[in-house]
Structure formats: C-alpha cells, structure tokens
C-alpha cells in the first residue's frame, strides 16, 4: 500500500544497494583526503576510486562469518581494489563510515520530504484561496461557536505546514555532519584537517566534537521534526474525517469511480485515506520516542542505537513520504459542500451570533454581567424550545429598551463577522488578496 503513493527514490535511498554505495563514497572521500594530506599514497586513493566496488551477495557471504557488516563490506571492496587496499579504511573506525554515510542518506531523504511539503503547501494554498469566502460554522469543544470560512481553516493548515518546513530545514542542517575522529573521538590516527577535507568533499560539516559516533540528539531532532509533521497531517486528516461524518456532511475526501467503501454495505463512502494517515502518525511518534531513547549511550558509544536506527530511519521517511503524497491528493480532490456548510451554520437558529449581541449591549452602556444574563437566557430558550434566536431577542423587553431592531439585525451580519478574513489571508499568503478583489458578500 505504501509503495502506491511513495516516491520510488525514497525507497532507493534506504536500500542495501544505496547504503553500501554511500559507504563506498565515504571511503573514497576519506582516502582522497588522506592522500591530499600525504598520509597515504596518491596512487592508493586513485585505485580505491577507480577499482573500488562491491557485490552485495559477497558482502553477505563474508558477514555470515565475520558477524560485522563494515568488515564484510571493506573486505569485499578490498578484493576488487587489489594491493592498494591496505590503505582502504586506514585509521578509521566503523562509525566514521556509517555515521557519515547515514548523514548523506538522511540529507537526501529530507530533500524529498521537503519537496513533498512544498507540493502539499501549494495544494492547500490553492484550495484555501478558492474557499476564502465559503462560510461555515466554527466549532469549539465540537459545538457550534462562531462563523468562519472554510478557506480560513485551510489558511491555518498552510501556516502550520510552513512551520513544518522550517522545522525540517533546521533538522536537515543539524544532521548534515560527518566525522573521521576515530574510535573515541580523539583523532588519534588521523588529524582533524583530514576530516574537514572529507566533509567538504561530501557537502557536510565536520561534527565539532564526537565520540565514536555522531551524537544522537541530532537524530532525535530529525525524527521529532518528522513526527511533528506527521502530527500536522493527522490533525488535518482528522478534521476532514469529522467534517465528512454523515450528520455533518460538509467535506469529503475524494471517492473515485469504481472504489468500494464496504464489502457488506454498498452505500458506504469512508474516509479511508484520512484514517490511514491518522494511524501512520502514531508510528512516527513511536519512532521519535525510540530516537530520544537513542540519545543516551554508554560512555563513548555502545550499539544499542544501531539496530533501532535500521528500522526507524527508513520507516519514518518512507511512511511520511507516503502520508504527504497521499494527503496532497486528498486535498487536491477534496469535495466541498458549501450549501451544507451554510445549512449547518443556520442549524443552531442564530445563537452563534450571541457574542455580537453581547458586545452591542455592552457598547450601549449595559454591564457585561447584565448583558450576558439577557443574551444567555434567550440563547437557552432557543435551544430548549427550538425557536429563532433573533426573534426571541426582538421580543425581549430588556434588550429592546437598549437596542433598536436595526442594531439587533447588524449583530447577525455574516459579512461583519468575517470582515477580516482577507487581512488574515494577506498575512498568511503575503498579499495574496488585493483590495479590489475582495467581494463585499460571502457566497
């Protein structure tokens, strides 16, 4: 199912083939840095670049004996390099290769996620601008509160996606580091200048200080950023699910021709895409927790983090890539029912304008406490007796002594309630709405 929506390149980034290719890239860059420093012969660095290669089956065969993946890898590469192989992996420890290569993989995976996020942001922006003036009821505690527009709801999403992008960009910078500092981070066998040379060639920054490994707070920051992004998607998907409920019926995720909702009930159109996104967000939160557990290692290093990362890094990136690409399609094909939105807004018989009536009374000199009492008792009658709230206000002697019929009518003006929607859009989308394009009335 995930392969259906995920970018093929994301899977390739985390494949065994790419992992060993990246390890070899690091080995070559390290050898060339050592040759430039006069530590190994230039001919050896050339041979490692020209003849270095591997066969995964051969690596696996060697590892069955060595029980050590990096040794199996270097042995397989050495078989192809020939006599110069004695300079392969010279002065290095396994984590110099693994952690530096993993940084390259994470950087490439981040770039794909960032592209996904930009695509989602563009889709949400387009739908937000299209639904900018579509009125609906805003809900707090799941109950009718005051009017909003569906476009405004989407503008809130867009703003959050923008923060997700910023978080991931920061995390990408945090994990874009390599190391060549050796078994306990002391550079006992290779000088820091060689590390700097290697990292520069790979487009990485040298870790300012490392032990045997690059410190895992960096990876925790990245996995947390991915989990927060997944939580944003969960929030958006949950909103669509809530608005798609039969009793609400305001928004639906797309339901294509030939799709089936239930094996037993042919009438069903279930929000399965949004439900899957909600479920997968739980996986990423669990993976972020595991990444936080990986921060604390014994002394200069143990390998308790290693087996965990083999699961949580590829799984988190592949899952989030799937989630983003699928939700982008949901947003693009989302079905909006503006008539149902307006019907639901009016379903509560006008009580959602109670705040405007309260303020109108206060502006005319009535104490807030007194005004609240007058407005609330009419709102409660509207609920209990299923009567029109405005009509009750116009028949209330206390309110009529203070407010004219026209003043009561103005308190129920939907355009007045939503007069600053364009201002919000211009803050979120940076002058997306020109004054000339602002319609005087909501559709």
């Amino acid at each position: 199912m995930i392969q259906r929506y995920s970018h093929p390149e994301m899977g390739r980034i985390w494949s065994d083939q790419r992992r060993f290719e990246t390890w070899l890239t690091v080995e070559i860059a390290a050898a060339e840095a050592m040759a430039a420093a006069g530590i190994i012969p230039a001919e050896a660095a050339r041979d490692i670049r020209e003849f270095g290669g591997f066969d995964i089956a051969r690596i696996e065969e060697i590892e069955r004996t060595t029980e050590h993946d990096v040794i199996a890898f270097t042995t397989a590469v050495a078989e192809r390099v020939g006599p110069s192989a004695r300079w392969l992996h010279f002065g290095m420890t396994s984590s110099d290769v693994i952690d530096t290569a993993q940084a390259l993989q994470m950087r490439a995976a981040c770039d794909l996620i960032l592209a996904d996020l930009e695509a989602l942001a563009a889709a949400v922006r387009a739908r937000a601008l299209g639904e900018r003036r579509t009125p609906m009821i805003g809900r707090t505690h799941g109950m009718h509160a005051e009017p909003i527009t569906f476009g405004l709801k989407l503008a809130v999403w867009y703003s959050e996606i923008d923060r997700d992008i910023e978080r991931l960009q920061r995390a990408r910078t945090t994990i874009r580091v390599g190391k060549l500092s050796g078994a306990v981070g002391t550079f006992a066998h290779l000088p820091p200048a060689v590390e700097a040379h290697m990292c520069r060639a790979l487009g990485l920054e040298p870790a300012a200080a490392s032990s045997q490994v690059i410190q895992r707070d960096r990876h925790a920051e990245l996995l947390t950023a991915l989990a927060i992004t997944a939580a944003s998607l969960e929030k958006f998907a949950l909103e669509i699910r809530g608005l798609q409920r039969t009793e609400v019926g305001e928004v639906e995720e797309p339901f294509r021709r030939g799709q089936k909702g239930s094996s037993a009930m042919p009438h069903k159109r279930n929000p399965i895409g949004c439900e899957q996104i909600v479920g997968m967000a739980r996986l990423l939160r669990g993976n972020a927790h595991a990444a936080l557990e990986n921060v604390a290692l014994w002394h200069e290093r143990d390998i308790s983090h290693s087996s965990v990362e083999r699961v949580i890094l590829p799984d988190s990136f592949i899952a989030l890539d799937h989630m983003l690409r699928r939700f982008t399609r949901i947003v693009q094909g989302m079905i909006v029912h503006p008539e149902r939105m307006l019907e639901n807004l009016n379903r509560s018989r006008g009580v959602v304008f109670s705040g405007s009536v309260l303020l109108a009374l206060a502006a005319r000199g009535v104490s807030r406490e007194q005004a609240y009492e007058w407005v609330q008792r009419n709102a409660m009658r509207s609920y209990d007796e299923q009567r029109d709230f405005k009509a009750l206000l116009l028949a209330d002697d206390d309110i009529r002594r203070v407010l004219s019929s026209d003043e009561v009518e103005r308190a129920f003006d939907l355009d007045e309630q939503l007069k600053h929607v364009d201002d919000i859009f211009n803050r979120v989308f940076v002058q997306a709405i020109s004054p000339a394009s602002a319609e005087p009335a909501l559709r």
Side-chain angles (χ1 to χ4, degrees), residues 17 52 90 107 119 138 149 154 156 161 193 262 318 342 360 381 409 414:
Q17 180 69 28
F90 186 79
R107 183 181 67 184
T149 74
L154 297 177
V156 172
I161 294 167
S262 167
I318 291 170
L342 194 58
R381 284 189 65 193
E409 288 288 345
L414 189 58

Side-chain angles (χ1 to χ4, degrees), residues 197-431:
H197 186 130
M198 178 196 73
C199 287
R200 191 163 52 249
L202 296 172
L204 302 175
E205 294 293 326
S210 54
S211 57
Q212 190 177 99
V213 294
I214 291 171
Q215 302 308 288
R216 260 44 194 179
D217 64 288
R218 297 177 183 273
H219 303 66
E221 180 179 340
L222 172 62
L223 268 293
T224 303
L226 297 180
I228 292 172
T229 301
S232 294
L233 296 179
E234 178 184 22
K235 166 185 167 179
F236 309 153
L238 190 65
E239 181 71 17
I240 293 174
R241 287 174 59 193
L243 296 178
Q244 185 165 335
R245 284 181 300 144
T246 305
E247 295 81 2
V248 179
E250 296 177 356
V251 178
E252 294 180 75
E253 69 172 54
F255 191 87
R256 61 182 175 82
R257 182 180 295 274
Q259 184 175 339
K260 304 294 188 290
S262 167
S263 63
M265 296 171 284
H267 70 279
K268 295 297 291 296
R269 295 203 302 197
N270 299 324
I272 59 168
C274 288
E275 288 173 339
Q276 288 173 359
I277 286 166
V278 168
M280 292 175 73
R282 299 167 188 167
L283 295 175
L284 270 78
R285 280 196 291 277
N287 289 350
H289 178 81
L292 291 167
E293 294 288 339
N294 281 348
V295 173
L297 304 176
W298 280 27
H299 307 298
E300 276 56 61
R301 189 230 181 172
D302 61 58
I303 65 165
S304 59
H305 67 286
S306 178
S307 57
V308 178
E309 287 172 358
R310 290 171 190 248
V311 175
I312 65 174
L313 286 175
D315 280 10
S316 293
F317 276 109
I318 291 170
L320 185 56
D321 176 51
H322 168 89
M323 293 167 70
L324 284 164
R325 291 164 68 87
R326 179 152 205 194
F327 192 68
T328 298
R329 294 189 186 190
I330 289 172
V331 169
Q332 290 168 337
M334 183 168 54
I335 303 164
V336 179
H337 299 288
E339 301 83 4
R340 181 70 169 186
M341 289 178 172
L342 194 58
E343 177 187 341
N344 286 341
L345 193 158
N346 293 326
R347 188 178 296 277
S348 49
R349 294 174 291 278
V351 296
V352 297
F353 296 97
S354 68
S356 297
V357 180
L358 172 67
L359 294 178
L361 290 168
R364 293 294 300 273
V366 180
S367 73
R368 184 177 181 85
E369 292 74 17
Q370 184 64 77
Y372 196 102
E373 180 186 337
W374 292 349
V375 175
Q376 186 184 45
R377 75 188 179 203
N378 284 284
M380 296 305 104
R381 284 189 65 193
S382 176
Y383 278 132
D384 296 339
E385 300 173 18
Q386 298 187 2
R387 296 177 60 183
D388 182 72
F389 180 56
K390 188 197 300 183
L392 290 170
L393 295 173
L394 291 171
D396 187 294
D397 291 339
D398 290 327
I399 290 173
R400 288 305 306 273
R401 280 197 302 269
V402 180
L403 299 179
S404 67
S405 297
D406 286 344
E407 288 172 320
V408 172
E409 288 288 345
R410 279 198 297 274
F412 286 75
D413 186 343
L414 189 58
D415 285 324
E416 179 67 17
Q417 286 273 323
L418 300 168
K419 61 181 178 292
H420 292 302
V421 166
D422 289 344
D423 296 327
I424 298 168
F425 266 63
N426 283 331
R427 290 200 306 194
V428 173
F429 299 112
V430 190
Q431 298 302 312

Side-chain angles (χ1 to χ4, degrees), residues 17-290:
Q17 180 69 28
R18 181 67 64 84
R19 176 163 58 100
F20 292 132
E21 287 174 352
T22 312
W23 285 8
L24 184 56
T25 297
V26 172
E27 291 282 6
I28 291 169
E32 291 179 339
M34 286 184 255
I39 296 172
I40 69 171
E43 295 80 4
R46 182 200 61 210
D47 289 346
I48 291 169
R49 172 176 285 280
E50 289 187 5
F51 303 115
F54 60 86
D55 178 78
I56 292 179
R58 177 58 178 150
I59 294 172
E60 292 173 345
E61 178 187 1
I62 298 169
E63 189 177 356
R64 282 194 289 270
T65 299
T66 63
E67 293 286 343
H68 195 291
D69 55 354
V70 176
I71 292 175
F73 165 77
T74 55
T75 301
V77 173
E79 291 173 349
R80 299 195 177 194
V81 171
S84 292
R86 68 192 180 95
W87 300 108
L88 175 71
H89 202 69
F90 186 79
M92 298 168 65
T93 191
S94 297
S95 291
D96 290 334
V97 179
I98 294 172
D99 281 11
T100 304
Q102 193 165 261
L104 296 175
Q105 290 175 282
M106 291 187 292
R107 183 181 67 184
C110 281
D111 289 342
L112 287 181
I113 295 296
L114 285 166
D116 290 341
L117 279 165
E118 294 289 354
L120 176 59
V124 171
R125 184 184 192 276
R127 296 305 303 261
L129 292 172
E131 304 294 344
R132 173 174 57 99
R133 307 291 286 178
T134 304
M136 66 182 298
I137 189 62
R139 297 171 173 91
T140 59
H141 304 274
M143 310 295 287
H144 283 203
E146 291 185 341
I148 61 170
T149 74
F150 187 54
L152 181 56
K153 187 186 291 287
L154 297 177
V156 172
W157 293 9
Y158 180 92
S159 188
E160 185 164 341
I161 294 167
D162 198 42
R163 292 192 298 278
D164 289 325
I165 291 172
E166 291 176 2
R167 269 188 290 267
L168 191 57
Q169 287 172 334
R170 288 195 299 269
R172 182 188 184 277
T173 299
T174 298
I175 56 87
R176 194 173 56 84
V177 295
K179 74 171 289 283
L180 205 58
S181 59
V184 290
T186 59
F187 295 97
H189 307 295
L190 296 171
V194 173
E195 178 188 75
H197 186 130
M198 178 196 73
C199 287
R200 191 163 52 249
L202 296 172
L204 302 175
E205 294 293 326
S210 54
S211 57
Q212 190 177 99
V213 294
I214 291 171
Q215 302 308 288
R216 260 44 194 179
D217 64 288
R218 297 177 183 273
H219 303 66
E221 180 179 340
L222 172 62
L223 268 293
T224 303
L226 297 180
I228 292 172
T229 301
S232 294
L233 296 179
E234 178 184 22
K235 166 185 167 179
F236 309 153
L238 190 65
E239 181 71 17
I240 293 174
R241 287 174 59 193
L243 296 178
Q244 185 165 335
R245 284 181 300 144
T246 305
E247 295 81 2
V248 179
E250 296 177 356
V251 178
E252 294 180 75
E253 69 172 54
F255 191 87
R256 61 182 175 82
R257 182 180 295 274
Q259 184 175 339
K260 304 294 188 290
S262 167
S263 63
M265 296 171 284
H267 70 279
K268 295 297 291 296
R269 295 203 302 197
N270 299 324
I272 59 168
C274 288
E275 288 173 339
Q276 288 173 359
I277 286 166
V278 168
M280 292 175 73
R282 299 167 188 167
L283 295 175
L284 270 78
R285 280 196 291 277
N287 289 350
H289 178 81

